[in-house]
Amino acid sequence: MKPDLSCKIGGLVCKNPLIAASGTFGFGQEWEAHIDLNQIGGLVTKGLSLHPREGNVPPRLVETASGMLNSIGLANPGLEAFARDKLAYLQKLADAGCLVVVNMYAESQEEFVTLAKELCALKGIHALELNLSCPNVREGGMAFGVEPDSVLRITQAVRKASGLPLWVKLSPNVTNIVAIATAAAHGGADALCLINTLLGMAIDARTRKFKLGNVMGGLSGPAIKPVALRMVYQVAQQLSIPIVGLGGICQAEDVVEFFLAGASAVQVGTANFMNPDTMPNIMRDLGEFCRREGIENMSELKGMACHACPL
Amino acid sequence: MQAKIVKQYPLGSPADVWALVIHAPKLAAQARPGQFVMLKEPNSPHILARPFSIAAAFDENIVIIYQQVGKVTNHLPLLKENHELLMWGPLGRGFNLNSRTPLLLGGGVGLAPVLFAWLKHAKATLMLGFDNWQRFSLLSAVLAELKRGVAINQTGPNSKIVAGGVYVTSQRPGPGWQEECALVLDPLTPENLKPFDAIMACGPWPMLKKAASMATVSELPCQVAAEALMACGVGACQGCATPKAEGGYLNLCQAGPVLSSLQLDWERI
């Protein structure tokens, strides 16, 4: 029997649980020549702002043990160029059954509202992902995402401004993830995306220089998976809102683990850089895993992690 | 895409620079001088692929030239024939070779882009500079492998440059070396630049900067093959931001790695 790998995120149905994470997939077309995009369940665009952003001073990347730090700084062409140059391709993907989610970033609540309204008027977008967690920008971003009050306020405002399903992507750089998640859920989010990158830094011992132009950056990749898994679990224990899990997912077993912790779908980010075939490979292996384990539907796995046996 | 090692061998002395021949038929057929690949050993503990310029493409193979400079490149020489690599490409924009008599300049062992351009352009002049005279054998070894017999002219600051030749300079001449020490750009007097209608260069940023300003003075168009850290090579990560002339940044992987020198803001580089 062929296992059913489709999944539901609130009211949205996704043909499979693998969604390309924001910032690793551009606006889709970048990977066209290298990945069979029909294989992926969906994609989240690079963080989009109302006006173009140049991003941070280079160097912007450094590899770390089992991970990477980035300080891109939300470089993006802005809404106008997005609608003119990027949307048509995304609409083509949407027509082919790919879930298209636009990650949105702003420096103020008003700007978030304007952006949400404008995006809501465009065709071919299935959902918005509210970026309240980028560690690489001074205004907005993580600053909004670390206080429950501002998370509630901005989520509510964007919720009112747009009829599209609203995902809120949360920062792990907080003391109490459940409090933040609760605020987003109360604000009217349709799903929560956990987690964005962990704030980190790197220094060159010999030259004594910071390795990133922006000094600090966001840590991603396999190194952060246990943290992400823990946060998905903690939130899923307290809230019934759908969770899209992300953070270091590289293989089929990782996807299963996030489902067991309580996720309804996952995003794959840094692993796309590790191997452009990561998502097609996971799809192949996930089907095989489900067949071997007698799983008919991925949703059977959701929140099913249980305690280890005492020795 | 999957790719297999055909062979690899050290180039000259010291033996820390290697030519790696990789079987990748589709990629080899498409590759243009100046383009690059993202390459990774699939079992490496290092998660990111690294960009490597393509030095040559023939039959169904491509050649890359790498120097052992860190953990990733120190591991590469251990890999044997038929070892599978993870590789994607060819990526980026290569050289525009539509000039009659280009002068190709390479600084150091990162000479792959201009070497490939030279192999594809019958009238090009190749001029390479090395920190150490022993590195010359690198070029001889590559040319022998490619079955291109050619006279290599040892070159000093006052040497005459003739279109179509192959020239090498060194900062540290060795025994038997007839010419004075020189950086690769030293012999490029206005007189020596006369036969050329374009400059194409690769090497460290300070050298590219100097080559670009030299080209401006001589009113020659100049293309540079630049380098930057990158994670994807396709424009998705935006890690390879490079300062562009009109302010802001360009993604080197998409707009380059070969750029007109006029596209860059050299003050911020």
Side-chain angles (χ1 to χ4, degrees):
Chain A
M1 214 202 96
K2 200 167 181 251
D4 180 5
L5 297 180
S6 70
C7 64
K8 273 181 78 174
I9 309 157
L12 287 172
V13 178
C14 201
K15 69 181 175 188
N16 72 54
L18 299 186
I19 300 165
S22 181
T24 64
F25 226 70
F27 295 91
Q29 197 159 13
E30 288 86 345
W31 281 116
E32 184 184 33
H34 308 278
I35 305 178
D36 177 7
L37 295 174
N38 287 316
Q39 298 248 23
I40 68 172
L43 75 87
V44 188
T45 66
K46 175 70 188 166
L48 182 71
S49 50
L50 204 49
H51 305 293
R53 290 179 60 91
E54 288 295 347
N56 289 329
V57 65
R60 294 175 170 183
L61 291 176
V62 55
E63 184 167 337
T64 57
S66 298
M68 65 179 271
L69 284 164
N70 88 79
S71 61
I72 307 299
L74 289 167
N76 81 90
L79 177 68
E80 196 184 322
F82 165 78
R84 186 184 64 227
D85 306 329
K86 310 287 183 189
L87 187 60
Y89 186 81
L90 291 170
Q91 285 168 338
K92 222 171 74 186
L93 290 179
D95 289 343
C98 178
L99 201 67
V100 172
V101 182
V102 174
N103 180 290
M104 48 186 283
Y105 164 78
E107 291 180 3
S108 69
Q109 183 177 322
E110 296 68 37
E111 215 176 286
F112 264 122
V113 167
T114 310
L115 186 56
K117 278 184 180 159
E118 297 276 351
L119 286 170
C120 192
L122 302 175
K123 283 206 173 62
I125 300 169
H126 293 111
L128 301 178
E129 183 179 75
L130 194 52
N131 186 351
L132 297 181
S133 45
C134 180
N136 290 324
V137 288
R138 271 193 195 84
E139 292 81 26
M142 198 168 82
F144 288 140
V146 294
E147 295 292 340
D149 289 351
S150 52
V151 170
L152 176 70
R153 187 165 47 79
I154 293 171
T155 308
Q156 272 175 339
V158 174
R159 166 78 291 158
K160 268 190 216 140
S162 159
L164 287 168
L166 181 62
W167 300 2
V168 180
K169 188 169 180 178
L170 300 182
S171 171
N173 305 303
V174 297
T175 46
N176 184 349
I177 191 69
V178 176
I180 305 286
T182 306
H186 285 171
D190 294 287
L192 302 178
C193 303
L194 292 163
I195 57 174
N196 207 321
T197 55
L198 285 151
L199 193 60
M201 70 185 292
I203 303 172
D204 187 307
R206 199 182 50 81
T207 66
R208 305 182 179 187
K209 288 178 177 164
F210 300 115
K211 287 191 178 179
L212 292 174
N214 203 40
V215 183
M216 286 178 268
L219 180 66
S220 63
I224 73 165
K225 195 191 92 179
V227 180
L229 203 57
R230 181 265 293 182
M231 288 190 162
V232 167
Y233 174 74
Q234 284 182 312
V235 172
Q237 289 298 299
Q238 299 296 324
L239 302 173
S240 59
I241 187 169
I243 297 170
V244 180
L246 71 153
I249 292 173
C250 298
Q251 53 189 352
E253 284 80 357
D254 297 336
V255 179
V256 172
E257 289 168 30
F258 273 84
F259 270 70
L260 292 171
S264 298
V266 297
Q267 292 180 11
V268 177
T270 300
N272 294 314
F273 301 149
M274 295 162 62
N275 180 352
D277 279 327
T278 296
M279 287 198 283
N281 288 349
I282 293 179
M283 277 310 296
R284 179 196 64 209
D285 298 344
L286 198 57
E288 183 52 38
F289 181 91
C290 289
R291 267 189 293 276
R292 213 170 49 233
E293 300 288 324
I295 297 156
E296 290 177 12
N297 192 310
M298 283 292 286
S299 61
E300 290 169 36
L301 295 166
K302 195 178 145 187
M304 294 304 284
C306 51
H307 289 281
C309 298
L311 288 172
Chain B
M1 65 181 81
Q2 295 290 321
K4 262 187 196 171
I5 293 180
V6 177
K7 61 177 170 178
Q8 58 176 334
Y9 47 91
L11 290 173
S13 168
D16 61 345
V17 178
W18 296 73
L20 173 58
V21 184
I22 304 165
H23 184 72
K26 204 173 146 196
L27 203 155
Q30 296 169 349
R32 315 287 314 145
Q35 286 190 300
F36 67 103
V37 294
M38 295 296 288
L39 179 68
K40 187 187 155 184
E41 199 290 302
N43 304 312
S44 167
H46 298 275
I47 67 167
L48 298 178
R50 301 288 192 271
F52 292 94
S53 283
I54 302 167
F58 58 92
D59 300 333
E60 297 187 328
N61 303 331
I62 65 158
V63 181
I64 64 162
I65 295 172
Y66 68 88
Q67 183 169 22
Q68 290 176 250
V69 291
K71 285 176 186 162
V72 171
T73 42
N74 282 338
H75 182 66
L76 285 178
L78 306 176
L79 307 178
K80 303 288 184 225
E81 188 184 329
N82 285 330
H83 191 95
E84 294 225 346
L85 298 171
L86 182 59
M87 184 163 80
W88 61 98
L91 301 167
R93 295 161 75 102
F95 286 108
N96 177 353
L97 292 175
N98 292 330
S99 51
R100 210 165 32 82
T101 54
L103 174 61
L104 307 175
L105 301 171
V109 297
L111 75 170
V114 291
L115 183 64
F116 196 5
W118 179 72
L119 292 169
K120 290 282 182 185
H121 196 300
K123 295 254 170 80
T125 305
L126 182 64
M127 195 153 164
L128 303 172
F130 298 102
D131 56 352
N132 186 333
W133 67 278
Q134 291 172 307
R135 290 281 186 214
F136 296 155
S137 51
L138 179 160
L139 183 62
S140 321
V142 173
L143 295 181
E145 176 66 26
L146 299 170
K147 299 187 179 68
R148 287 281 292 256
V150 64
I152 299 174
N153 301 290
Q154 298 177 348
T155 311
N158 302 313
S159 301
K160 170 99 182 120
I161 307 299
V162 177
V166 175
Y167 299 86
V168 287
T169 66
S170 173
Q171 286 165 263
R172 258 185 292 164
W177 179 248
Q178 302 299 313
E179 295 294 337
E180 286 178 66
C181 296
L183 294 169
V184 66
L185 301 179
D186 289 347
L188 300 183
T189 55
E191 185 61 30
N192 269 341
L193 280 174
K194 268 185 186 161
F196 305 109
D197 64 353
I199 288 177
M200 300 174 194
C202 63
W205 279 112
M207 175 215 152
L208 296 181
K209 192 171 184 169
K210 216 170 150 191
S213 73
M214 209 170 242
T216 308
V217 170
S218 302
E219 296 181 337
L220 289 171
C222 177
Q223 299 174 60
V224 296
E227 289 178 25
L229 296 165
M230 54 183 76
C232 70
V234 302
C237 76
Q238 312 211 48
C240 58
T242 306
K244 66 177 173 185
E246 59 267 40
Y249 301 99
L250 51 78
N251 288 339
L252 191 70
C253 69
Q254 285 180 306
V258 176
L259 300 163
S260 156
S261 62
L262 304 175
Q263 284 174 274
L264 292 163
D265 180 354
W266 294 97
E267 293 302 312
R268 287 190 291 148
I269 285 168

